[in-house]
Amino acid sequence: KVAFESQSSQPIAITVNDIQGRKILEKSFDNSGLFSEEIQLDAVQKGIYLVTVKDGEKQLVRKIVVE
């Protein structure tokens, strides 16, 4: 689950890449200020993935492990 309070009015983009850089998921969401979205990765293989959240000028990358 991705949840945070946005300080921008720009759409929020979420990208999930595998550790080799291949794009697994890319979604864009309307920005209402409070963002909370469940990201479904049921169809991916076990491994390490990078989740990138872009909110206007800000970008945050986190590593997740799918088991």
Side-chain angles (χ1 to χ4, degrees):
K1 183 174 191 172
V2 178
F4 61 93
E5 185 173 349
S6 174
Q7 301 300 318
S8 83
S9 59
Q10 303 277 329
I12 295 168
I14 295 182
T15 308
V16 179
N17 292 21
D18 67 14
I19 203 69
Q20 296 173 349
R22 292 182 294 231
K23 193 178 294 181
I24 305 299
L25 173 79
E26 185 172 38
K27 284 191 172 185
S28 187
F29 302 91
D30 291 332
N31 189 343
S32 62
L34 291 174
F35 182 81
S36 181
E37 192 68 37
E38 198 72 38
I39 304 300
Q40 297 298 322
L41 296 174
D42 297 335
V44 301
Q45 295 181 358
K46 295 178 183 179
I48 299 172
Y49 294 86
L50 299 175
V51 179
T52 304
V53 178
K54 187 164 185 176
D55 176 20
E57 297 293 317
K58 295 180 182 178
Q59 180 172 303
L60 179 69
V61 180
R62 290 287 186 256
K63 180 172 56 172
I64 62 169
V65 177
V66 175
E67 298 178 338

